[in-house]
Amino acid sequence: MSFLEELNIAQRNAVQHNKGPLMVIAGPGSGKTRVLTYRIAYLISQGVDPFNILALTFTNKASKEMRTRIETQVGSEARNLWMGTFHSIFARILRVEGNRLGYASNFTIYDTQDSRNLLKNILKESGLDSTIYKPSVVHNRISTAKNSLITANEYAQMPELLLEDKTNGRKALSNIYFEYTKRCFKANAMDFDDLLLKMYELLMRFPDVLYKYQNRFLYILIDEFQDTNKAQYLIVKMLADVHQNICVVGDDAQSIYAFRGAVIENMLNLKKDFSDLITYRLEQNYRSTKHIVAVANHLIKKNKVQLEKSLWTENEAGAKVKIFKTASDNDEARTLADAIMEEKLRNHYRNDDFCILYRTNAQSRAFEEGLRKVNIPYQVYGGIAFYQRKEIKDILAYLKIIVNPDDEESLRRIINYPARGIGKTTLEKVTVLAHEQDASLWDIISKIEQYHFTPRATKLISEFVIMIKSFQALMHQKDAYDLAMHVAKSVGLNRTLKNDNTPEGISRYENFQELMNSIKSFTQESSTDDDGNLIPDLDFSLGAYLQQVTLLSNIDQDEKADAVKLMTLHSAKGLEFPVVFIAGLEENLFPSIMSVNSRSELEEERRLFYVGVTRAEKKLLISYATTRYRFGNLTYCEPSRFLNEMPAESIDNPQQDNQRNEVFTKHKTFIKNQINSSHSVNKGYQHQVSDRFTAADPSLLQIGMKVEHQRFGFGKIVGIEGQSGKRIANIFFQEVGTKRIMLKFAKLQIVNNKTIE
């Protein structure tokens, strides 16, 4: 096997590991993907049937790249692997076995927007205030519960969760979770989190199903294992329990998704569940220069909780890491844009050789403006994804209804789009009937003649039902592309979009055409076997296409454009660029103000910085601003503690020229004048603490309460975000303006006899 000769000793040991549990601790740029793909190729070359190999990833991009690499080594047999994201593989199994849980095989998968739309309807029907029960907050709470394997019924029996909801002013959340679960089931729909929860439930409730897949998946391999959550780990643990041939590859130093439920302990404690675990460390970095590797090593050694390893490289020393101090966020953007122009002129880099990373999405605005001013094309990750655009969601809703007519959210979206005279009042009446009869909306409208609607409403709804049924009749006669095009023309979507000649309309029509192109490409995907015979893909059906696009992650978008990439540090995981800028290295921004009050959260922030540093191949540039607008207030910024944790011998602090220093001095004087003249940030104010000051229990503090702070004086709580011990309040103080304070450490006294405007 010639491919083994391409591996270093540590990589080869991991690839040739025969049987039993295996953990590969793979530092950034150490050939993790190569080890995974070559291990699978090696197993196949040793006679393991690809149908018995399960390979799980976190992005479609990663699984596609791995499958392509494996195919170059072993040929078309790679097509037989069970390889994909956790969600796509579990969806595939649930399509077959979901009837055990009461789901039809054509169930719809709700994306985040679908789920939140359903929650909006539930909140409206329940008469609940959507400013208190924000759909995004409610959805996140339900998502967290599901990823912790807590069902709606179990949630209602957990006093600590109910108390937390009551404390946050959302005591009806348990009822919302129950109704949301009921409505999804009635619509024959699962959301992303259900794909994990229902998979776990399936294996736990039906031993014969567990036995079936334990003996199908003789070898299990998991990429980015440090990012697994509780549900993912327990499912994999059950599947691997019999044969114990589990191989996990990851890096605890790159565990940055705790906010999504990732549990770093899954990696740290793996040996407890697999006592025969063998560990290999991949420490040679093939990506970055010596200076970048030195910075990464120096940083991550500050973390106390980690698996020991030390990166090294045989690459050149390269340029030292540059740190830019700028006067403001706008000045930071100009500085980085100028640096990109200079690098392009001196070193002939392309635009797509550059990436700007930042801690929060809001920071992208300044960089977009800075790049536009010097005519540098850019691409922002985390904006409106292609499949979330209205015109795309509209067409996909029609296609989803054809596959699953019980899909409530899709039906609501298209029943009167394009306009066909079915009004809001009619739809509300249909909804009431559906609730009274515990039926789906489709059940009601497909028998509309049985109910007391006006003759006009009955006629219009009947015509709609007949149209959808005519599309369904074609589902087994036409492939996904022909059916989608037929639907778009029949309902007038194609014509409506094409006839809009505004710039926005032209863009929407181009998006429509791009969607049709993607469906056409899906139906034509094929490969040849070793003898040159054409092998069609497994499934070209409309249902298969819809599942594929629903499960696409945000990072699975086109990266081919020659444009500077802008993204948050969380989105950068798994990517690499010749030149990387990391912006906003300031206290309370990076590390985040939400993460400086506990060691575990601070260490995750440091791991996030480590991930950013190790995205760079040739050059790394870091910047921070001395002033920045935050929540409408201009504030001074303190350089991040992470800057002091970098080795001095690998750092280059370029001296600002006289002109820039002069500009900075003028700017700083202007800022001071602004602050001194602003009542909202009165730094000279000294509050005299009230007699008998008694700090209230933080869990009792609610929006609207009047409070006293020992330093800032009297104020009013105008907003609260976060949960449990991480609640942060926005408090308007009469003398010093609005402050963001973590309630756990705030020491606030509740006052009821104070007038606060």
Side-chain angles (χ1 to χ4, degrees):
M1 289 163 287
S2 59
F3 61 80
L4 293 177
E5 298 173 5
E6 302 175 23
L7 305 174
N8 63 37
I9 294 175
Q11 292 172 336
R12 187 179 299 183
N13 287 339
V15 166
Q16 292 184 296
H17 178 82
N18 189 15
K19 288 193 174 185
L22 167 67
M23 178 164 66
V24 181
I25 302 173
S30 63
K32 167 180 67 70
T33 303
R34 172 176 288 190
V35 166
L36 264 177
T37 53
Y38 282 15
R39 176 160 174 76
I40 294 171
Y42 178 78
L43 290 172
I44 295 173
S45 72
Q46 296 299 297
V48 178
D49 191 330
F51 284 105
N52 296 137
I53 298 175
L54 171 63
L56 297 168
T57 67
F58 276 86
T59 66
N60 294 283
K61 178 189 170 198
S63 60
K64 186 175 181 180
E65 179 185 346
M66 285 171 59
R67 190 187 295 274
T68 301
R69 289 197 194 185
I70 296 167
E71 200 163 351
T72 62
Q73 300 297 334
V74 301
S76 60
E77 277 292 295
R79 284 292 181 115
N80 300 327
L81 290 163
W82 281 71
M83 175 177 283
T85 64
F86 282 87
H87 291 86
S88 66
I89 292 294
F90 295 166
R92 181 176 169 185
I93 293 173
L94 287 165
R95 293 280 181 207
V96 177
E97 312 288 353
N99 62 303
R100 303 284 195 107
L101 301 173
Y103 290 87
S105 61
N106 64 337
F107 65 80
T108 297
I109 300 173
Y110 281 174
D111 62 20
T112 299
Q113 185 176 328
D114 295 329
S115 297
R116 291 181 180 177
N117 286 342
L118 175 55
L119 286 168
K120 285 178 186 177
N121 289 327
I122 292 172
L123 292 171
K124 183 179 179 182
E125 293 162 14
S126 304
L128 294 170
D129 188 345
S130 61
T131 60
I132 297 175
Y133 293 91
K134 292 182 179 179
S136 59
V137 173
V138 174
H139 180 247
N140 288 338
R141 183 71 165 171
I142 292 173
S143 176
T144 299
K146 288 185 177 182
N147 282 294
S148 299
L149 301 175
I150 301 171
T151 66
N153 288 330
E154 290 169 339
Y155 192 102
Q157 303 300 318
M158 300 180 75
E160 65 275 19
L161 295 180
L162 300 180
L163 177 60
E164 191 172 324
D165 290 339
K166 184 178 180 181
T167 301
N168 289 325
R170 304 188 189 98
K171 64 180 181 180
L173 213 149
S174 176
N175 295 333
I176 298 171
Y177 184 10
F178 182 83
E179 181 64 21
Y180 173 76
T181 301
K182 178 183 173 183
R183 294 276 280 273
C184 283
F185 184 75
K186 188 162 61 176
N188 192 32
M190 295 188 195
D191 63 20
F192 282 168
D193 303 308
D194 281 328
L195 296 175
L196 303 182
L197 181 62
K198 299 302 179 184
M199 182 69 187
Y200 177 79
E201 184 181 344
L202 180 71
L203 299 181
M204 286 294 289
R205 285 179 54 189
F206 302 98
D208 59 318
V209 176
L210 175 59
Y211 178 82
K212 173 183 176 180
Y213 289 99
Q214 282 177 332
N215 288 282
R216 172 168 293 176
F217 303 135
L218 303 182
Y219 288 85
I220 299 175
L221 301 95
I222 306 170
D223 188 19
E224 303 287 8
F225 185 69
Q226 75 280 348
D227 294 335
T228 53
N229 60 28
K230 178 180 179 180
Q232 289 163 332
Y233 178 67
L234 290 178
I235 291 168
V236 170
K237 180 176 176 292
M238 283 192 285
L239 291 174
D241 198 41
V242 173
H243 299 284
Q244 299 267 309
N245 292 324
I246 183 172
C247 169
V248 305
V249 180
D251 181 6
D252 60 296
Q254 296 184 68
S255 178
I256 58 173
Y257 294 128
F259 69 97
R260 292 183 191 168
V263 182
I264 189 174
E265 286 76 17
N266 288 348
M267 191 162 192
L268 299 176
N269 300 331
L270 189 66
K271 196 170 182 64
K272 292 181 180 178
D273 291 320
F274 296 93
S275 57
D276 295 331
L277 183 73
I278 300 296
T279 301
Y280 294 107
R281 288 174 170 78
L282 306 184
E283 298 175 307
Q284 182 175 358
N285 179 287
Y286 292 93
R287 175 188 300 158
S288 307
T289 63
K290 283 186 170 66
H291 281 306
I292 293 171
V293 168
V295 168
N297 270 335
H298 216 76
L299 279 169
I300 206 61
K301 287 189 187 306
K302 300 290 184 181
N303 276 10
K304 294 185 180 299
V305 179
Q306 60 177 297
L307 296 170
E308 184 181 347
K309 68 177 177 305
S310 182
L311 291 181
W312 60 277
T313 184
E314 292 180 346
N315 294 341
E316 63 181 356
K320 290 186 176 183
V321 176
K322 285 188 177 181
I323 299 179
F324 292 102
K325 174 182 178 181
T326 63
S328 66
D329 48 356
N330 288 329
D331 187 43
E332 180 182 45
R334 287 192 296 270
T335 299
L336 267 58
D338 290 345
I340 290 173
M341 290 290 288
E342 183 178 348
E343 290 290 344
K344 286 177 64 177
L345 289 171
R346 287 192 176 189
N347 300 305
H348 308 291
Y349 283 118
R350 290 164 45 91
N351 292 316
D352 61 0
D353 288 330
F354 298 92
C355 178
I356 299 176
L357 303 176
Y358 36 79
R359 182 63 180 82
T360 66
N361 276 309
Q363 291 170 259
S364 73
R365 188 270 316 160
F367 298 117
E368 291 183 63
E369 291 180 4
L371 293 171
R372 276 200 301 268
K373 286 177 181 176
V374 291
N375 295 317
I376 296 176
Y378 62 87
Q379 182 178 19
V380 182
Y381 286 79
I384 299 177
F386 177 79
Y387 291 103
Q388 296 299 323
R389 298 181 187 277
K390 180 186 182 302
E391 60 274 17
I392 303 303
K393 294 280 284 186
D394 290 337
I395 299 168
L396 291 179
Y398 272 99
L399 302 183
K400 288 179 179 180
I401 281 296
I402 294 170
V403 174
N404 173 22
D406 290 325
D407 182 348
E408 177 181 333
E409 287 311 302
S410 294
L411 184 60
R412 287 180 181 277
R413 190 177 191 99
I414 62 161
I415 194 168
N416 196 43
Y417 181 79
R420 51 179 60 91
I422 302 174
K424 185 177 179 181
T425 302
T426 299
L427 186 55
E428 287 176 351
K429 188 175 178 181
V430 170
T431 302
V432 170
L433 283 168
H435 289 174
E436 289 176 351
Q437 300 187 23
D438 196 23
S440 68
L441 299 185
W442 177 261
D443 289 335
I444 302 300
I445 67 171
S446 61
K447 303 170 185 174
I448 196 67
E449 297 84 0
Q450 299 178 14
Y451 305 102
H452 301 294
F453 285 80
T454 65
R456 181 173 181 272
T458 300
K459 178 177 179 291
L460 292 172
I461 291 177
S462 295
E463 289 174 350
F464 174 78
V465 171
I466 291 169
M467 178 183 70
I468 297 299
K469 287 183 176 180
S470 73
F471 295 154
Q472 290 174 328
L474 295 173
M475 189 163 54
H476 301 295
Q477 301 174 26
K478 295 177 178 289
D479 66 20
Y481 173 79
D482 290 336
L483 181 55
M485 187 58 79
H486 173 75
V487 170
K489 289 179 178 178
S490 298
V491 303
L493 286 174
N494 186 30
R495 182 177 60 257
T496 301
L497 293 170
K498 190 174 183 178
N499 292 342
D500 185 349
N501 293 318
T502 65
E504 296 80 8
I506 293 171
S507 176
R508 284 192 288 269
Y509 184 61
E510 289 173 348
N511 289 337
F512 164 75
Q513 290 178 313
E514 182 59 30
L515 177 68
M516 292 298 117
N517 291 339
S518 77
I519 300 176
K520 187 69 173 178
S521 176
F522 171 79
T523 62
Q524 292 183 338
E525 279 186 8
S526 62
S527 66
T528 55
D529 61 21
D530 295 336
D531 298 322
N533 299 314
L534 193 66
I535 302 176
D537 207 347
L538 293 173
D539 191 352
F540 291 150
S541 69
L542 183 59
Y545 174 76
L546 291 172
Q547 175 168 308
Q548 174 182 290
V549 300
T550 304
L551 294 176
L552 282 173
S553 63
N554 286 338
I555 206 64
D556 291 318
Q557 54 181 300
D558 179 26
E559 298 171 17
K560 296 178 182 177
D562 182 25
V564 175
K565 303 297 188 290
L566 276 65
M567 66 186 78
T568 65
L569 285 125
H570 283 101
S571 297
K573 187 97 164 309
L575 304 178
E576 56 187 51
F577 301 89
V579 184
V580 169
F581 295 83
I582 306 179
L585 262 292
E586 300 141 30
E587 284 293 298
N588 297 333
L589 178 58
F590 195 21
S592 164
I593 192 172
M594 302 278 285
S595 306
V596 296
N597 293 305
S598 77
R599 179 173 297 280
S600 63
E601 291 170 341
L602 180 61
E603 291 200 350
E604 173 144 339
E605 288 287 291
R606 188 177 287 111
R607 291 195 295 269
L608 185 58
F609 187 34
Y610 175 82
V611 166
V613 167
T614 54
R615 299 312 94 197
E617 298 172 354
K618 301 292 185 183
K619 292 191 174 184
L620 175 63
L621 302 94
I622 297 171
S623 61
Y624 68 96
T626 56
T627 62
R628 189 179 296 271
Y629 274 98
R630 303 198 69 182
F631 308 104
N633 293 321
L634 197 58
T635 60
Y636 278 114
C637 303
E638 180 185 346
S640 170
R641 69 190 72 188
F642 295 153
L643 295 175
N644 293 325
E645 296 174 358
M646 299 161 67
E649 58 272 18
S650 292
I651 300 301
D652 176 16
N653 266 314
Q655 293 296 316
Q656 309 287 343
D657 57 38
N658 292 333
Q659 183 179 3
R660 183 173 293 281
N661 279 334
E662 184 180 345
V663 170
F664 174 69
T665 301
K666 290 179 179 178
H667 187 85
K668 188 173 181 180
T669 301
F670 170 76
I671 299 303
K672 282 185 175 180
N673 291 338
Q674 289 290 100
I675 290 176
N676 289 336
S677 65
S678 172
H679 177 71
S680 66
V681 284
N682 181 3
K683 285 196 168 186
Y685 174 72
Q686 293 293 325
H687 176 64
Q688 296 297 316
V689 182
S690 307
D691 294 337
R692 300 178 183 176
F693 181 96
T694 304
D697 181 345
S699 67
L700 299 177
L701 297 170
Q702 300 295 330
I703 295 173
M705 283 186 173
K706 298 169 185 177
V707 296
E708 180 183 10
H709 186 276
Q710 290 174 310
R711 177 181 171 193
F712 302 135
F714 296 103
K716 183 177 182 180
I717 300 176
V718 296
I720 294 178
E721 58 192 67
Q723 298 176 355
S724 189
K726 300 178 183 178
R727 298 169 79 214
I728 290 180
N730 288 326
I731 305 176
F732 175 74
F733 291 100
Q734 288 179 316
E735 298 296 335
V736 296
T738 300
K739 297 286 184 182
R740 279 170 58 82
I741 299 178
M742 182 164 280
L743 293 180
K744 183 178 179 180
F745 304 102
K747 294 185 179 178
L748 296 168
Q749 175 173 260
I750 299 172
V751 293
N752 298 313
N753 57 351
K754 187 74 179 176
T755 301
I756 299 173
E757 299 297 331

